[in-house]
Amino acid sequence: MEYLVALAIGSLTAGGTYLILRLRAFPVILGLSLLSYAVNVFIFASGRLKINAPPILNKYADVPYTDPLPQALVLTAIVISFGMTAVLVMISLGAFLETGTDRIDLESPDPDEDMKLTEPDTNVGTVPELDGADAEVKA
């Protein structure tokens, strides 16, 4: 059970990180959502993974229980992440309606312009010329 949860957390984190690095607004929002899901599963797993265990103590019997605090934290985090996702969608929708594209990097408005090769900088890697006073080499 723990391996499955660890694999789910790793997969959500990897997918979220990959999507955050995209240059479009919608995949970035999905990536943030996946990362928040990964954190929620991690917090939930910190309260012990037990099947059919109640989140409360029983004073009459010694039954296994799970910690209710991580469950409450995850529930709160789900509500907050839903609200923040709605805000991000509205901000990106406003940016899309204003600019006509959902690209995050807006240095070049033409998407085909990014594919063109630019001329290389000729000053990169050149050594500056030294006058006679600075040309002494210490051995």
Side-chain angles (χ1 to χ4, degrees):
M1 179 75 167
E2 288 85 9
Y3 294 119
L4 182 64
V5 172
L7 182 66
I9 292 171
S11 300
L12 288 171
T13 303
T17 304
Y18 175 76
L19 287 174
I20 282 179
L21 297 176
R22 308 286 19 121
L23 292 178
R24 303 272 183 192
F26 186 68
V28 169
I29 293 171
L30 286 179
L32 285 172
S33 296
L34 286 180
L35 278 179
S36 70
Y37 296 153
V39 170
N40 289 342
V41 172
F42 178 73
I43 292 172
F44 186 74
S46 69
R48 285 187 237 141
L49 297 173
K50 299 209 182 220
I51 298 173
N52 295 329
I56 55 174
L57 290 173
N58 189 351
K59 64 181 178 179
Y60 300 112
D62 288 332
V63 295
Y65 69 96
T66 58
D67 192 8
L69 183 63
Q71 295 176 12
L73 289 175
V74 167
L75 183 62
T76 305
I78 289 170
V79 172
I80 291 171
S81 66
F82 179 73
M84 286 306 301
T85 302
V87 168
L88 286 176
V89 166
M90 293 307 295
I91 289 172
S92 64
L93 182 63
F96 174 75
L97 293 175
E98 183 177 329
T99 61
T101 182
D102 68 339
R103 290 179 52 84
I104 293 175
D105 185 13
L106 292 177
E107 291 180 14
S108 60
D110 184 21
D112 295 330
E113 188 176 305
D114 293 339
M115 303 306 281
K116 296 177 186 173
L117 295 176
T118 59
E119 294 190 23
D121 189 8
T122 57
N123 293 330
V124 175
T126 59
V127 178
E129 295 183 20
L130 301 174
D131 54 335
D134 294 333
E136 294 179 20
V137 177
K138 295 181 181 180

